Structure formats: structure tokens, C-alpha cells
Amino acid sequence: MKAVVRGERMGWTDRYALVFGTTVALLLLAPFVQDALTGLGHQADPVRAGAGLALLGFLYAGYLASARAFGPVALPAADAAWLLLSPLSRRRVLARPALVLLGVAVAGGLALGVSLLAVLGAPPGRTALLVAAALVLGVSATVGGTAVAVLAQAADPWDGWLRLGILAVVVAAVLAALLSGPAGRLAQAVPASLGAALVAACAVAAALAVRLAWARLGRIHARDLLAASTRLDRVATATTMLDPGTLTWIAEDAHWRGRALRSRRWPGLPAPLALAWHDWRRLGRRPGRLAVLLASAALPALAVRAAGGVAPVAVALVAAGALAATASCTVGARRDADDPALARLSGVAPRAALAARALLPALVGGLWLALALAGLAAADGLPGGPWWPLALPAAPALAAGALRMARRPPVDHTMPVVTTPAGPLPTGPTLWALTGADLALLGCLPTLQALLAPSTSLGPTLVAQAGTGTAVLVLYLWRARTR
């Protein structure tokens, strides 16, 4: 047992790898940090600053939610199977994962601090002081939040405080999004003394949270550590070796496992619609998820307000968000593709069943896109209007792309790696990622062109979008494999 304990200590090779990896990461991030710091000698517009603060608030809430969902303390599979249940000190076994978690939190805090500086700006003469304050504030926020997530993993009462903190951050971000101008002016008008006191208080609170988390590190239950380690192992395996789409199956099965659901009679609908009805029921059983999904349609408008105009990033958010919202309603199509023998037992023609399953994705994707376009127009990011009618003819193309994504096979890692001027390109993951997205982009090409080059005349765009969207869905249903 003593030999095992000595083997757990970091040798010179581990220290060398840690220092080398940190140096390489800093060298890779240095150009981006330099570009962000070069434009700090100005006072940002209050409206743009408030929208940027809202975006950062949502990102920080997502960071805390991810830390809570993944553990956050987890072990490799071998350590979880052998060292965790051994007589070794629990704190010593978890020391290395805790240090890795601390490094991730510090890196995230530095990125948060630089983003905060880019959003608020810095008047000339105070740049160096504000840079230091923003970096300390960002690191304190991420490190303190991660420490609270560790405490929540060790004790249930802290989990309630973490949930309350995530809710408070979300509410503050929503208020900043609704009141961009006042929120930006309030953040920029904070006196230097009050700001320094706030930064010092955050740093002290983060240090206390880290101290408490380190003291409670050895008291985390083995079952919680095993569950977190299993999730981490599955996520790593699905991401690097198998199919990244497996991650959604893991989350879906984890949600419904252990829940008692009442059986219901089949609805009095035609056979294809009755077969697709369980997708509608699944969506209705999770109203909170649907509300969050529809609320995320405001993110492109926030990005436009923070950037001061329609930027390619906002257009990319619209495209990715609409496709993601559409793909979230294709669980039935995925199950049919995974188990075609079970799908044939229903007695419904495969093409008719696929057409019926396209209704819900088209409705949800079109609704999300309509809300996103209305938000962009309300944020003065698009001239003329109304723009939301473009979502109706674009919905069939989104449904076709989402159905193709749901029915695609796993990643083929045996495909060759192509050498390009930008570096080696693995064709297997690339083709997997483009499958479905290419169909949606092709069908929504008129809308994307109108967003990248806005104009006040939308009649020709509506006609072109109606033609391309309908044609893409019809051709996909006609050419889709039904065996």
C-alpha cells in the first residue's frame, strides 16, 4: 500500500508535462489576449456594455450549471475502480483531480476577466488598474463558483445554495438584457473605491470557499464520486472514440431513469401521426426545457446589441440555434434509425412516419427562428421588416436537416486524415458534423443571405425561401433511406 501511495505523488515527468502544457496554452492564447487588451483605452457604449454583461452572465450561469452537472470532482476510470475504495486518504486520492479542476477554473476566470474588460472598456490612465481588477474578479468568480460546486457535491445543503446562486445569476443577466442602457451605465459608474472593495470581497470569499472545499474534499461520498467518474468517462469516450451524439442519449436516459410514467391510450389520429405523437408528449412533459429553449432565442439579439450591428457571429448564432432547437425534437426519428426492426413492427410506412415526425421539428425550429428574427429587428440589428415571416418557409429546411442529423450513422474514424494549409483535417468527424447541417444551410440560403446583407425589400427573399425550403424537405423525404 505504501508503494501505491508513493506512486500517486507527482514525479518530475508529471511536473514537466504540467509546466510544458501550461506554457503552450499561454503561448496559444497570447495573441487573442493581446487583441482584446489593445482596444481598452476607451469607454464602451452603455447599451453595448449592458448587453455584453448579460451575455457574460449567461455564460457564467452555464459554467456553474455544468460544474454542478458533471460532479465537478471526478476520477479516471482506473482510479475510481481501485484507489477510491482503498484505505488510502480520500483527500490525497482526490488531490490531483482537484488541482486540475483549479487550473480549469483559473483559466476560465482569466477568460472571463478579459471578456469583462472587452465589454466595459477602460478609460485612459486607469487601464493597468482595471486590467488587474477584472482579472482578479474573473478568477474569483470562477474559482469560488467551482469551490461551491465541490461543496455541493460533498453536502446537500450546499447544493441548494448553488442552485440559488445560479438562479440569481440568470435573473441578473435577464435584467441586464432588458435594461441594457441603465445596466451598462451603472457598471461603468461604479466608483474606484467601491470597485476595489467589491473585488477584494470577492477574492476573500473565493479564498474561503476554496479553503472549505479543500477541507470537505475527503468527505465526498464514494457513490457520488463513482457517479461523477462514470459520467466523465462516458463523455470522454463518446467525444473522442465513438459518437458525440451519444452524449444526448446519456443525458436523456439519465433524466427519465427511475421516473414512473403513466400509460396512456393511443390518440385517435392517423397511424403516422399517432406514431409521432410521443415526440409531442415528450416535449410537453418537460416544460422547463422548452421555456429555456425558446428563451435562448434572445441570445442573437444580445450579441447584435453588444457588437453594435449584425455581425457574422450573430448570424452564426441564429443558424446554430435554429438547427439545435429543431434537432431537440427528433428523438423518435433517432430511435427508428437505431432500431429499424422495432420501427417496422408499428406497421406504418417508413416514409409516411418520417414525414409525420417532421411536423414537430418544423414547428419548434420555425418558432425559435421567428423569435430570434423578431429579437434582431427589435434590437435595431435589421432594417425594415417584419423579418419573422421568413421563419415559416425556412422551417421545412430546418426539419429536413434535423431529421438527417438524427438518422446519420456514428463517426467513421477509419476515414483518412487530409492535409490542408490550415493543418490536418480528419474527414470522418468533419463529414459527421456536416451531415444534416449542410442540408439545412442549403435550404435556408436565401434567409442567410438576407441576414448577411440586410435590405428593406423582403418579398423576393420570402418567395425564394419558400421554394428552397419546401424543395429540400420534399427531396429529402423522397430520397431518404426507408429500410
Side-chain angles (χ1 to χ4, degrees), residues 114-165:
V114 173
S115 302
L116 186 62
L117 284 171
V119 166
L120 296 178
R126 300 173 54 191
T127 303
L129 181 61
L130 290 179
V131 166
L135 293 180
V136 172
L137 184 61
V139 172
S140 300
T142 53
V143 171
T146 305
V148 174
V150 174
L151 291 171
Q153 189 179 8
D156 290 337
W158 282 97
D159 187 61
W161 287 107
L162 181 59
R163 290 185 180 185
L164 185 60

Side-chain angles (χ1 to χ4, degrees), residues 7 49 55 60 73 101 110 145 199-200 206 221 266 277 280 301 314 335 402 413 467:
L55 286 176
Y60 182 61
V73 180
L101 189 62
L110 293 177
V199 171
H221 294 292
W266 284 86
W277 180 246
W280 297 74
R335 294 195 181 276
H413 291 283

